Amino acid sequence: MSPETRSAVMSRIRGKGTKPETTIQARLEAKGVAFEMHARDLPGRPDFVMRAQRVAVFVDGDFWHGHRFDEWRLKLSEKWEAKITANIARDRRNRTALRKAGWSVVRVWEYQVKASPARCVRRIVAACAKSPQASVPSDAP
């Protein structure tokens, strides 16, 4: 693959507004959950933030965030293995920083959204309901 072709392919990969994110967004909106997206003031810019409940949600792609990375890491070139390893470490640092600041962190994997978006939303709503300031519906579909 030429450098130009690779660049064109890589430029089409989205970091925001992915299908799993839009799926969760639509379901949270349907439930009446108030949220912000990609809050820049929080570590890792969570995909969804419910500030009143102090809940941060990451909707992570299986490849880029290394779901079951040990099972497939050896199939990658050294460059990609290092990239995904760095992503995993960064994700861990961000989740730890959020938890230390008093946030609840919900991580939803891409494969989980594909398998059962309703279950993912139930996890998010349950995290919000645990908050002392909870004000979201608790009967997720």
Side-chain angles (χ1 to χ4, degrees), residues 36-58:
E36 297 172 41
M37 293 184 72
H38 309 290
R40 291 181 170 265
D41 61 324
L42 296 176
R45 287 195 276 169
D47 297 308
F48 300 96
V49 173
M50 283 59 88
R51 284 193 191 272
Q53 296 84 19
R54 294 188 68 81
V55 173
V57 178
F58 292 94

Side-chain angles (χ1 to χ4, degrees), residues 85-97 99 107:
T85 299
N87 288 352
I88 291 169
R90 182 199 61 217
D91 291 346
R92 187 174 297 122
R93 283 192 309 272
N94 289 332
R95 288 192 308 270
T96 299
R99 287 183 176 122
R107 183 182 211 182

Side-chain angles (χ1 to χ4, degrees), residues 20-83:
E21 275 184 38
T22 58
T23 299
I24 295 298
Q25 179 183 0
R27 288 182 176 256
L28 288 174
E29 288 172 348
K31 299 257 339 136
V33 176
F35 60 85
E36 297 172 41
M37 293 184 72
H38 309 290
R40 291 181 170 265
D41 61 324
L42 296 176
R45 287 195 276 169
D47 297 308
F48 300 96
V49 173
M50 283 59 88
R51 284 193 191 272
Q53 296 84 19
R54 294 188 68 81
V55 173
V57 178
F58 292 94
V59 180
D60 289 342
D62 296 345
F63 176 78
W64 294 106
H65 296 272
H67 177 67
R68 295 186 177 180
F69 188 50
D70 287 338
E71 295 177 11
W72 50 271
R73 72 183 315 151
L74 298 177
K75 297 177 183 176
L76 300 175
S77 68
E78 287 183 26
K79 178 181 173 183
W80 280 108
E81 186 177 358
K83 168 69 177 155

